[in-house]
Amino acid sequence: MAFMETVLSLIFLLSSSLLLYSIVAHEGPESITLSLIHPFSVHSPFYPGKNRTDVEKTNLLIQATEARMQHLFPTTTMRQDGSWNGSSEVDDIATLVKLTGVYYLAQVGIGSFPPNLGRKWKSYFLIMDTGSHITWVQCEGCDPCLPLSQPNFPYRQSQSYRPIPCGHRDCPTTREDCFGTFCGFKISYGVRSGGPSTKGTIVRETLTFLSDTTRVRVESYPNFFLGCGLQSYNHMLPPQNQAAGLLGLGFGGYGTSPIWRQINKKRFSYCLFNSEQASSKLYIGERARMVGPQVVSTPLIRGSNPSLYYLDLQDISIAGSPLGLGRSLSAGCTIDTGAATTSFDSNVYARVRAGFVQYFAQFHIQPYNSRTRPRYVPDYDLCFPSPSGFNRFPTMTFHFRGANLVVQPINVFTKGAHFVCVALIPGAATTIIGAFQQAQHRFSYDLELGDTGTLFFAPEDCGGSA
């Protein structure tokens, strides 16, 4: 019960299908480059183990998406001081969760250390999230701490560590968030007291990006606003957890600025993939720009959660047939790499579900019900028996303002030997397009073009050999 409460309260994240781990940064025209590794790959710190079945892996993705929904859109949030606040701004930082195999990690260097202590920086895996905007790492002296398989960040030894006094003009949070006499941050998850929470200080530090190009180099960014996690409560995590914090790529909100804004590179792109043996890149900077005959674009819009990227979703089609959702989508949708798979509010999901049922009915294929559903089928709501040799699976198209995202069947369904499930989840406060449906496309976020930015995307074979 404690585990499920923790999972449903947290997520960060980047929930989804990749691990980021080598990086290059440079001021000017060049870009930060991050290598992406599938979380179920043996190269991933989130590798769930060789004995996990495909159904067990699928259920991990479902659990993570449900937790993500709870994190992003709680009905209310409770501040650490006990006062109630309906704003999601205080709940924008996600903390670590059980190794569900659905998160992106970035290996970055933090701090500056004397030569006699070894490398000039300490390397940590941080969860990368487009739905959170504050970057933080767990620091030494924490009590209580999240379990971590390496030493916490030794900020006292770092020569570039700069604390910020409480109430100082450089502090991006208010006095009520101070940690002792220092500038601080507080985060809590869920709507009940006693739920998971983390707090600590906000400091100035140096972040270092390691090159994964043929020309080896290291680029560092001093005076970066970094959260230093010092107290974490009620988190049920495995002892060998390898993620030490979070790398925030969200749009913005209460607290520090996202990484792309702090390093003054207002464009980033990523390309997710299907195979556990694949790898890909995430770029921040000019290299993230997309051009070409297949590239389409749609404006980014603002929504209720300032950390998230919202899109004007106008309709959805199944096998090319529009569902006519119209006003049901008036709130738009979010696009989030931190959600493992796509989720809908109940009304939209009911229409989408009916569309898939109608499509398969023409082939005399009816969905499982509670009586006929085999135990080996994953926990998705809508699953069908899969007749031998059947291969007429439909596409699913998201119709945005000015652009269509056509999701191929491999990223709509999860399939076993005798079943096929629609990889969608009901119950979200708003539609969230998750990582599974984003795979095999490159997405580029241009945050200077248009009033609030523009999203470019195009189909792409994203994965190379890991």
Side-chain angles (χ1 to χ4, degrees):
M1 189 67 186
F3 163 70
M4 286 307 300
E5 183 172 305
T6 300
V7 172
L8 291 175
S9 322
L10 307 176
I11 193 169
F12 144 41
L13 331 172
L14 291 312
S15 95
S16 315
S17 312
L18 309 178
L19 163 70
L20 297 124
Y21 94 69
S22 300
I23 307 174
V24 56
H26 194 277
E27 297 287 357
E30 297 193 53
S31 304
I32 297 173
T33 304
L34 302 96
S35 295
L36 307 181
I37 298 175
H38 196 285
F40 294 151
S41 166
V42 295
H43 302 288
S44 169
F46 287 151
Y47 177 56
K50 64 181 180 180
N51 294 326
R52 291 278 192 176
T53 66
D54 289 342
V55 171
E56 287 175 326
K57 293 176 183 178
T58 298
N59 287 338
L60 291 176
L61 302 182
I62 296 170
Q63 293 169 14
T65 300
E66 291 173 343
R68 180 63 162 177
M69 288 153 44
Q70 294 287 329
H71 166 67
L72 293 177
F73 299 103
T75 54
T76 54
T77 58
M78 187 172 184
R79 292 184 64 91
Q80 191 72 22
D81 60 8
S83 63
W84 291 93
N85 187 330
S87 169
S88 62
E89 292 183 330
V90 298
D91 195 24
D92 284 335
I93 305 173
T95 191
L96 308 177
V97 299
K98 185 176 175 62
L99 302 184
T100 60
V102 293
Y103 302 109
Y104 307 72
L105 295 183
Q107 189 178 36
V108 302
I110 301 176
S112 303
F113 297 89
N116 63 308
L117 296 180
R119 300 182 72 175
K120 290 186 62 178
W121 61 86
K122 304 294 183 183
S123 293
Y124 291 93
F125 285 112
L126 303 182
I127 301 172
M128 188 277 291
D129 189 11
T130 59
S132 300
H133 61 280
I134 299 179
T135 297
W136 67 275
V137 67
Q138 181 159 275
C139 291
E140 68 176 6
C142 56
D143 184 22
C145 307
L146 301 174
L148 188 60
S149 60
Q150 68 180 101
N152 297 311
F153 177 61
Y155 66 92
R156 295 183 182 92
Q157 300 176 38
S158 173
Q159 296 174 329
S160 53
Y161 165 79
R162 299 291 182 271
I164 304 173
C166 176
H168 192 274
R169 63 185 180 183
D170 285 347
C171 181
T173 57
T174 63
R175 282 185 174 272
E176 67 176 345
D177 292 321
C178 286
F179 190 88
T181 60
F182 296 101
C183 176
F185 68 95
K186 302 176 183 179
I187 53 175
S188 59
Y189 300 88
V191 298
R192 292 176 293 181
S193 61
S197 64
T198 296
K199 57 184 177 179
T201 62
I202 294 177
V203 304
R204 294 280 198 175
E205 250 303 356
T206 295
L207 256 65
T208 297
F209 300 96
L210 314 177
S211 173
D212 66 350
T213 63
T214 54
R215 185 178 63 174
V216 177
R217 68 173 181 275
V218 171
E219 295 293 340
S220 297
Y221 291 86
N223 296 318
F224 189 91
F225 278 119
L226 178 71
C228 195
L230 291 169
Q231 291 183 357
S232 292
Y233 298 91
N234 303 322
H235 298 290
M236 300 293 292
L237 296 173
Q240 293 304 308
N241 169 55
Q242 297 185 50
L246 184 147
L247 187 70
L249 280 170
F251 185 79
Y254 177 73
T256 67
S257 297
I259 183 173
W260 55 264
R261 183 172 289 154
Q262 291 203 54
I263 65 177
N264 196 30
K265 296 182 184 297
K266 296 183 179 180
R267 185 180 293 112
F268 66 89
S269 75
Y270 57 79
C271 194
L272 312 187
F273 44 85
N274 296 313
S275 172
E276 297 175 21
Q277 286 72 48
S279 64
S280 184
K281 305 290 182 184
L282 182 145
Y283 302 109
I284 306 174
E286 285 301 305
R287 197 170 177 184
R289 186 188 300 273
M290 290 182 64
V291 294
Q294 291 186 295
V295 176
V296 294
S297 66
T298 186
L300 293 164
I301 59 178
R302 297 279 68 81
S304 60
N305 187 325
S307 282
L308 292 173
Y309 296 100
Y310 287 78
L311 303 171
D312 182 7
L313 178 61
Q314 299 178 338
D315 203 358
I316 294 172
S317 293
I318 296 173
S321 298
L323 298 178
L325 295 172
R327 293 181 181 178
S328 299
L329 299 170
S330 59
C333 73
T334 69
I335 181 167
D336 179 18
T337 57
T341 190
T342 295
S343 55
F344 298 103
D345 70 58
S346 297
N347 291 332
V348 173
Y349 178 78
R351 300 276 296 277
V352 173
R353 187 186 197 279
F356 280 110
V357 171
Q358 182 179 357
Y359 175 83
F360 282 100
Q362 65 182 312
F363 303 106
H364 308 290
I365 301 173
Q366 297 298 320
Y368 291 120
N369 57 38
S370 59
R371 182 175 52 83
T372 62
R373 185 185 186 103
R375 295 182 62 182
Y376 56 77
V377 173
D379 292 339
Y380 283 114
D381 169 69
L382 182 59
C383 297
F384 301 84
S386 182
S388 177
F390 181 82
N391 62 359
R392 299 184 64 179
F393 297 101
T395 59
M396 181 178 184
T397 302
F398 294 92
H399 300 280
F400 303 115
R401 189 195 313 173
N404 295 328
L405 173 63
V406 181
V407 183
Q408 297 300 318
I410 193 173
N411 297 117
V412 177
F413 303 94
T414 181
K415 191 175 183 296
H418 305 292
F419 68 86
V420 59
C421 294
V422 183
L424 304 172
I425 294 177
T430 190
T431 296
I432 305 172
I433 300 177
F436 188 69
Q437 281 71 39
Q438 294 179 48
Q440 297 304 103
H441 282 78
R442 179 165 293 279
F443 293 88
S444 175
Y445 296 69
D446 190 322
L447 302 168
E448 291 187 312
L449 188 62
D451 294 336
T452 54
T454 301
L455 179 69
F456 295 81
F457 58 90
E460 182 175 321
D461 182 5
C462 299
S465 178

